[in-house]
Amino acid sequence: MYNLSETERIALVAENTYNPVVIADTGRKIVWVNHAFTELTGYELNEVIGKSPSFLHCENTDPATVKVVTEKLERREKVCADIINKNKFGREYWIRFCISPVFVGDRFAGYISIENEVTKEKTLLKELQENELKYKAIFNSTNDRHVFIDKNYILRAFNKSAKKQFETNFNIKIAEGDDFRNYLTSPQVGKMFKYAFDQAIGGKDFFFEEEVALADGRKQWYSFRGAPVFNDADEIIGGTFNWSEKTQEKHLQVLLEESELKYKAIIDSTEDRHVLIDKNNKILAFNKSALKNLAASFGFEMKEGDDFVVYFKGHEHVFMLQQGLEKAFNNESYVYESHVASPIGYKWLRISYLPVHNQFNQIIGASINWGDITAQKEAEQKVQNQLKQLKEFSHITSHKLRQPLANIIGLTNLITGKNDPAELPLLIQKLQSVASELDDVINTMSLTVATAEYNDNNAKKTTGDKSKLDSVFIIDDDPVNNYIARKLLNKKLGNIKIDEFLRAPDALVKLKEGALPDLILLDINMHPMDGWSFLNEFEKLNLKVPVVMCSSSVDPEDLRKAQDHPLVRNFLSKPLMPEHIKEFALL
């Protein structure tokens, strides 16, 4: 089993930051540095192990600062400072560092230093004092945010990074000449600014770090630094304020200090399952979700140090497991999807095998991660089914719809032309046949895209309290349809009272005036008020009048809505047919 030492655990995290990181033992001798340190200093890890970080000091390193740092480290206190160092190639540079003591439980294990080169910032501050007119061009060369505020709180200058952050995080456009206090977005920010301003106006440099809440609710860590600004007469005219985001470094420090406990808390917070094993298949770590899932699915309790592959001996998945591990140990990533049985039925899993490296880029094991993608797979299948339905719909539209429509047009032309009167009944019969064929095609198209089959019988709702109709409201903006409906109703039910409304609002007015029909025939697609809007208003009148939807719509959604609506007794497709009239007696 490969055991990660505390240094290795810290180094694995530290290697992922762009800031130079130095880890020292209890005697303040270097035991590890990251790649960013090598890039800055020119020294490789094997050149610095066992040395004190002070070997980088030069003749311009401030002895007073070194003394303060040394005293705090001897007391095992955290210390932050700026000093001048010299790299392997003789270049002097300013470094800003924070050194923290590291404890493993109650045992003092050494120190960790997170560093940042601030040579450019130091140069900028110096040039600002020498020539105030140059500062804008200089400050805009850094990603850190800089502002200059005079003694009356007036914003005199700022760089692009500061301007961008105010606009992005607080939706504020800053401008020279504004009172900077107007930009303070919260009591917390106001309190920080007052402290910094008082320090600068009092002639003191300042430095502090704090977590700040942004306008969108996110919280980020920033380091704030500044100094008083003097004029040529050595009088304080304001202060310069500089800040930079340190969220990543703060998160790194938390990870380093809490080490394995923090790691466990992070991976336990996800529903995905994670297992880390070494090259001998021994379990190094796992999260709670993996433990729970394997216990429920396979009946075993994972333990660190166990052989993970042995758990699956004789199981159908052991081959895929071994294949994935082999690829990961050969520095290849391997991902596959599997349809597996579970206590509640079959589900889809996405399983990935990833190589795990140490700080020397050597493979020390593999990370196995898996998650439930059943919902995603079902959604994909639904999309495929919809595409298939649309393809069928397109086929019907292009191959079957045009033919009966063309026949109707042709027969209509024959009927309206000069014909032998004896042929007219035959032409009408053929026209009815083709129209029926067209209706069948349209219904087939509707069923093709429907999500569920609709049954007309299920839509019928009876009251059983009316056996004869004396009056009917027809609400439809199609005069031809109204003519057909009136003729059929009078023919089948006798000379009953029929009121026609081309506008649904007019029918509502009549109902509010006291008219009470025995039946309402209602269209769906009308203007300015459609059938559904009419029903919403009609329902408020609390009138017990049965409603039959009579529409040319074959949209399954309209059918479903009609079936579910408490006022709708039936849904009929236009045109109104003689057999439909018989059903009215049931309402």
Side-chain angles (χ1 to χ4, degrees), residues 442-560:
I442 293 174
N443 284 323
T444 301
M445 292 168 62
S446 174
L447 291 175
T448 299
V449 298
T451 55
E453 183 176 349
Y454 181 82
N455 189 333
D456 275 337
N457 294 327
N458 292 334
K460 298 174 184 176
K461 308 168 190 174
T462 62
T463 61
D465 59 357
K466 188 68 178 179
S467 60
K468 187 176 183 300
L469 297 178
D470 295 322
S471 64
V472 176
F473 274 16
I474 301 175
I475 305 174
D476 195 326
D477 60 358
D478 183 357
V480 175
N481 176 76
N482 296 346
Y483 175 80
I484 295 172
R486 185 173 67 253
K487 285 293 185 180
L488 278 174
L489 287 169
N490 284 326
K491 182 178 180 180
K492 294 294 184 181
L493 300 178
N495 192 22
I496 65 174
K497 184 178 185 316
I498 299 175
D499 290 301
E500 300 176 24
F501 301 92
L502 298 177
R503 298 174 71 256
D506 296 338
L508 285 172
V509 171
K510 193 76 171 177
L511 290 166
K512 291 177 182 178
E513 291 176 350
L516 193 65
D518 298 320
L519 176 69
I520 295 176
L521 293 180
L522 179 64
D523 189 22
I524 293 178
N525 299 312
M526 298 181 290
H527 294 284
M529 175 186 287
D530 66 11
W532 303 119
S533 299
F534 171 83
L535 286 174
N536 291 337
E537 296 300 319
F538 179 62
E539 192 170 10
K540 297 175 184 177
L541 301 180
N542 197 28
L543 299 176
K544 296 185 179 302
V545 179
V547 177
V548 172
M549 306 297 288
C550 188
S551 173
S552 58
S553 172
V554 289
D555 184 349
E557 180 61 18
D558 285 335
L559 302 179
R560 184 195 63 76

Side-chain angles (χ1 to χ4, degrees), residues 135-136 140 146-148 150 153-159 163 173-180 183:
Y135 75 90
K136 278 192 175 179
N140 282 330
H146 300 273
V147 295
F148 168 45
D150 70 16
Y153 302 101
I154 302 303
L155 178 63
R156 295 302 180 188
F158 52 85
N159 70 343
K163 177 177 181 293
K173 292 187 177 181
I174 60 177
E176 292 183 10
D178 285 356
D179 189 322
F180 193 77
Y183 302 150

Side-chain angles (χ1 to χ4, degrees), residues 306-365:
D306 284 357
D307 189 316
F308 189 71
V309 176
V310 170
Y311 288 154
F312 296 89
K313 187 176 182 179
H315 195 274
E316 59 179 330
H317 297 299
V318 70
F319 173 75
M320 297 300 295
L321 172 64
Q322 291 173 327
Q323 184 180 26
L325 291 175
E326 181 179 354
K327 288 182 177 293
F329 294 152
N330 287 324
N331 204 27
E332 298 179 43
S333 298
Y334 180 56
V335 181
Y336 75 98
E337 297 174 353
S338 179
H339 199 209
V340 299
S342 72
I344 59 173
Y346 278 89
K347 60 184 178 181
W348 280 95
L349 298 179
R350 178 177 288 123
I351 307 169
S352 64
Y353 297 82
L354 305 173
V356 176
H357 304 82
N358 62 13
Q359 67 269 32
F360 304 108
N361 204 33
Q362 299 169 330
I363 297 175
I364 61 172

